[in-house]
Amino acid sequence: MTTTSRWRALTHHHLFWPVAVLIALLLVNVPFTPDFFSINMTDGHLYGSLVSIVLFGSPLILVAVGMTLVIATGGIDLSVGAVVAITGALTCSYISDQADQNTLSAVFLAMGIGLVAAVVCGLWNGFLVARMGIQPIIATLIIMVAGRGVAQLITDGQIITVNSEPYKLIGGGYWLTLPFSVFVVAAVVAVTVALTRRTALGLLVESVGGNAEASRLVGIRSTRIKIMVYMFCALCAGIAGLMISSNTSAADGNNAGLWIELDAILAVVIGGTSLLGGRFSIGGTVVGALVIQTLTTTIYTIGVPTQTNLVFKAAVVIVVCLLQSPKFRAKVFGAKGPKGPRRDAAPVEPAPAADAAPKMEVSR
Amino acid sequence: MSATAQTPKAAPRGSTASRATRLLGDRRLPVLVTAALFIAMYVGGLSRYQNYGFGEPQVFLNLFIDNGYLLVAAIGATFVIMSGGIDLSVGSMIGFTTMFTAWLVERQGLPLLLVVPLALAVGAFGGFLMGYVIHNFEIQPFIVTLAGLFLFRGLCLVISKESISINDASVGTLAQTRVSLGVGDLSIGAVVALVVLAVAFYVLHYTRFGRRVYAIGGNEQSALLMGLPLGGTKIAVYTVSGFCSALAGLLFMLYIQSGDPLHAVGMELDAIAAVVIGGTLLTGGSGYVLGTLFGVLVLGLIKSVITFEGTLSSWWTKIATGVLLCAFILIQRTMTARRKT
């Protein structure tokens, strides 16, 4: 009885399916690379497949965290890839103009310039969406189209390479045996969670996403919240842009962050945030981004021909989304799933008792 | 055009002021604004590039020749968007169709007459599958069609990583054929696109199916309560979009005479932009197919104006497209903003 109810509560947790898929994907690697889970210490740095998944997944996690809040307001931001390119281009071109590229103050200034540009892009998106009332997918399409042109304009159509030790740290360096980008991601995620779950901000964002007009009428400044959210999303994309250009020590206006917006949206949805807005889960997004990065790594390690990896990606996307669909679970797993097509359709079920039990388990 | 019960009746009659209100309340206003802006831009182009032959009727007809495939794809997207959904697989489906047909015609030696219906059937079936998953498992269209985007682009690469040029005689003949209009001529692709436009116009505005699409886009719950076949219509809408994408792929294949795994990357966004510029709301339930035509023409005109400007490098082309798109959306928005008083 207790075991079943605990199991039910576990499978009904919003992170259950994303985490299950992540674990399954990680396990798939073991038959192909038996030492997949092993982590070695070389030169004071940790190396291993798990570490590299986190390292290479960092920019995606950042972009996806920003995207989560935008999607929570019922919007979408297609311009993040272009923002990644612009930030990288501005920062690298400033650094490459310096006589001594290792000067710490110059590197900080360069990063500041890049991030300010990113936030301005976000402000513009937010202005179009919130003030002008343009549909988000179209409003952000403008920077998506024009932004890569701007990035190429900054780099003069070339790939700018930099040779700066301090700048290299952000995306490719190590600190306390771990990749430095892990700390950046952890900081951004922690700040975001603190701001949205320890203050009322998250609630306000969800209320704007649920019904912008109603929240305006109860006194929430929905316009300001929306603009802030787009600025935050662009800032996250900007930091991701620093990471990507720092990791490769180069800024490529054309290809930096290409299609990252689709991956980010995918990560958000795999994490259980509805595209309709009104609720979000930062934890889910992080797991979702890790799922996508693990998938990419897995495809390489098990030696699938690279041309078929998009097909694999499509398959995993569909499987994850099907598993998350209550209706699919009801149809396929029958009695094990929720009885009705929707959970809220059958309030008579003894769900409260089942819910109450595990909460006590947790508190013990 | 006003065959659907779209025109609001509540506008007060009489004075000039209320006539203005009535005009602003007209749902056709966004389409009219887009059409007016298109004409303004065309006239602007005329005055600037008159000496370079911008005024030739053929330059205007080239808009249809160069964008016929986009028009067909955007018409498919119109159906989906009108029903309140979205289809991101358009560009991949176009790329896949070019690849699939090029492979069948060139590598397998199948006759074009057999390949064309096959490609259309594959496209329609792909759309049907996506619609089936969207409806039956209640997964958001954005995600299902995103999976479709990955799947078809991946299948392109599975067929071949390199582009396949088409040297087949029948494809060449079709591509070369021109239909004369007196002042200029149209390609077969442009003619097909116009036929598709006419059919879509009829279906959306004059048939039961069209009204169901509008009703579902307007309010799905109400449509369901009214007893409309929700699932059937939704699945049909994605099937139509898949079919249109495959047809657009065939037209693109004719236009460019090759299959390439990277053909039409990102074209779904062009199609969606065209639909939205044409005044259709992404939330569904409101809009016109003719608006989509003007949306495509505007995007085409932006490209041809940039071509006439000549000296621009590739990145300036991107920036100019973005800026013009932005100006366009803003003007359209401010002119239609006061619709609801």
Side-chain angles (χ1 to χ4, degrees):
Chain A
M1 173 70 198
T2 336
T3 351
T4 39
S5 63
R6 199 188 298 172
W7 174 247
R8 279 196 61 152
L10 185 67
T11 54
H12 281 181
H13 191 272
H14 69 277
L15 283 181
F16 176 78
W17 290 108
V19 171
V21 171
L22 179 59
I23 294 172
L25 268 179
L26 287 170
L27 289 178
V28 163
N29 282 287
V30 177
F32 297 91
T33 21
D35 56 347
F36 185 75
F37 285 101
S38 71
I39 291 174
N40 313 316
M41 180 78 97
T42 318
D43 300 338
H45 300 164
L46 290 178
Y47 285 103
S49 304
L50 291 181
V51 178
S52 53
I53 285 175
V54 178
L55 173 62
F56 293 120
S58 302
L60 180 60
I61 297 177
L62 282 177
V63 174
V65 164
M67 186 73 82
T68 309
L69 294 188
V70 168
I71 288 178
T73 65
I76 203 156
D77 191 346
L78 294 181
S79 71
V80 284
V83 172
V84 163
I86 292 176
T87 313
L90 268 179
T91 309
C92 287
S93 66
Y94 186 85
I95 293 178
S96 68
D97 284 346
Q98 302 301 309
D100 179 13
Q101 298 193 2
N102 289 326
T103 322
L104 210 53
S105 59
V107 169
F108 273 114
L109 186 59
M111 281 159 47
I113 293 171
L115 292 180
V116 166
V119 172
V120 169
C121 288
L123 179 65
W124 169 251
N125 284 335
F127 170 78
L128 286 184
V129 172
R131 276 284 155 76
M132 302 301 293
I134 294 170
Q135 304 176 60
I137 199 170
I138 294 300
T140 53
L141 185 64
I142 295 169
I143 293 191
M144 185 192 183
V145 174
R148 290 205 177 270
V150 172
Q152 279 176 298
L153 190 68
I154 295 166
T155 61
D156 218 11
Q158 285 165 342
I159 297 175
I160 293 188
T161 50
V162 293
N163 190 9
S164 163
E165 278 308 312
Y167 189 57
K168 183 76 190 166
L169 177 70
I170 311 166
Y174 281 80
W175 193 52
L176 296 178
T177 74
L178 279 173
F180 186 75
S181 56
V182 173
F183 294 96
V184 178
V185 169
V188 171
V189 170
V191 167
T192 315
V193 170
L195 279 179
T196 54
R197 293 306 182 205
R198 297 283 163 211
T199 72
L201 209 56
L203 201 64
L204 298 186
V205 166
E206 288 182 327
S207 105
V208 169
N211 189 333
E213 184 60 15
S215 12
R216 193 185 63 78
L217 290 176
V218 298
I220 297 170
R221 295 172 191 269
S222 58
T223 312
R224 194 178 287 182
I225 297 263
K226 275 190 184 174
I227 293 180
M228 259 173 47
V229 158
Y230 280 93
M231 285 166 73
F232 177 74
C233 180
L235 178 67
C236 288
I239 301 175
L242 294 181
M243 242 175 223
I244 291 172
S245 63
S246 148
N247 193 12
T248 56
S249 285
D252 182 351
N254 225 4
N255 295 317
L258 199 62
W259 304 127
I260 204 171
E261 54 275 341
L262 292 181
D263 275 348
I265 295 167
L266 204 55
V268 172
V269 174
I270 289 176
T273 298
S274 161
L275 277 175
L276 303 173
R279 62 183 170 85
F280 67 89
S281 158
I282 299 282
T285 297
V286 174
V287 176
L290 287 175
V291 166
I292 293 174
Q293 189 57 45
T294 310
L295 178 61
T296 314
T297 311
T298 307
I299 287 169
Y300 285 125
T301 53
I302 68 177
V304 173
T306 44
Q307 59 265 37
T308 55
N309 65 16
L310 277 172
V311 179
F312 266 76
K313 206 166 182 177
V316 171
V317 169
I318 279 298
V319 167
V320 173
C321 290
L322 283 180
L323 284 175
Q324 284 189 354
S325 152
K327 208 164 171 183
F328 176 81
R329 292 208 299 268
K331 274 185 185 171
V332 175
F333 303 124
K336 283 179 192 165
K339 289 274 190 306
R342 281 157 190 265
R343 240 174 294 168
D344 54 357
V348 223
E349 262 187 80
D355 274 355
K359 266 180 199 151
M360 283 158 65
E361 303 282 340
V362 170
S363 60
R364 249 174 233 169
Chain B
M1 190 144 149
S2 56
T4 48
Q6 292 282 316
T7 337
K9 292 153 197 143
R13 286 154 251 158
S15 66
T16 335
S18 65
R19 196 180 299 161
T21 321
R22 197 165 38 185
L23 179 66
L24 284 174
D26 195 325
R27 293 233 184 175
R28 280 170 288 182
L29 187 65
V31 181
L32 296 177
V33 171
T34 305
L37 283 173
F38 170 73
I39 292 167
M41 210 164 118
Y42 189 74
V43 171
L46 270 185
S47 62
R48 190 164 161 81
Y49 312 112
Q50 181 67 58
N51 302 333
Y52 303 96
F54 195 82
E56 300 277 323
Q58 190 59 48
V59 172
F60 182 78
L61 291 177
N62 280 349
L63 284 180
F64 290 89
I65 296 177
D66 296 337
N67 298 290
Y69 55 91
L70 181 59
L71 180 58
V72 173
I75 288 169
T78 310
F79 275 83
V80 174
I81 291 173
M82 213 77 96
S83 79
I86 200 156
D87 189 350
L88 294 183
S89 69
V90 172
S92 290
M93 186 74 92
I94 293 174
F96 173 71
T97 309
T98 64
M99 213 53 202
F100 182 66
T101 47
W103 180 68
L104 285 183
V105 170
E106 285 298 314
R107 301 278 159 86
Q108 309 297 317
L110 290 183
L112 194 64
L113 264 179
L114 193 70
V115 171
V116 166
L118 196 61
L120 292 176
V122 168
F125 182 68
F128 169 82
L129 271 187
M130 287 188 279
Y132 182 85
V133 172
I134 290 167
H135 172 68
N136 280 291
F137 303 129
E138 289 176 353
I139 305 178
Q140 292 163 12
F142 196 98
I143 291 307
V144 176
T145 55
L146 187 62
L149 184 157
F150 290 143
L151 177 66
F152 286 107
R153 192 59 73 189
L155 289 178
C156 280
L157 291 160
V158 171
I159 292 177
S160 165
K161 276 166 92 174
E162 273 116 49
S163 67
I164 305 174
S165 64
I166 301 175
N167 306 312
D168 186 76
S170 47
V171 175
T173 324
L174 263 183
Q176 300 298 319
T177 311
R178 287 286 185 272
V179 180
S180 177
L181 290 180
V183 288
D185 46 27
L186 285 176
S187 66
I188 294 288
V191 172
V192 170
L194 289 174
V195 170
V196 171
L197 179 74
V199 172
F201 183 80
Y202 175 77
V203 168
L204 263 182
H205 299 311
Y206 291 95
T207 65
R208 194 180 291 170
F209 175 69
R211 277 192 291 277
R212 280 178 189 158
V213 173
Y214 272 100
I216 288 173
N219 190 329
E220 209 174 293
Q221 291 302 319
S222 307
L224 189 64
L225 290 176
M226 273 158 63
L228 296 185
L230 190 66
T233 312
K234 264 185 161 178
I235 295 174
V237 157
Y238 287 95
T239 312
V240 166
S241 178
F243 176 85
C244 282
S245 303
L247 184 56
L250 288 173
L251 299 187
F252 195 67
M253 188 265 293
L254 266 191
Y255 181 69
I256 220 143
Q257 295 201 33
S258 72
D260 189 302
L262 293 179
H263 271 335
V265 167
M267 196 169 282
E268 57 280 344
L269 291 173
D270 287 342
I272 294 168
V275 174
V276 174
I277 288 174
T280 301
L281 289 182
L282 274 177
T283 41
S286 157
Y288 297 97
V289 171
L290 280 187
T292 302
L293 169 67
F294 281 110
V296 170
L297 288 180
V298 162
L299 288 181
L301 194 58
I302 290 176
K303 269 189 269 174
S304 63
V305 163
I306 288 170
T307 318
F308 267 87
E309 193 63 44
T311 55
L312 296 175
S313 51
S314 81
W315 52 87
W316 275 112
T317 313
K318 285 180 193 165
I319 297 175
T321 311
V323 168
L324 285 174
L325 191 65
C326 174
F328 205 87
I329 292 164
L330 283 179
I331 292 172
Q332 223 231 26
R333 181 69 205 165
T334 43
M335 287 185 78
T336 55
R338 284 161 297 152
R339 249 188 327 153
K340 282 177 190 167
T341 36

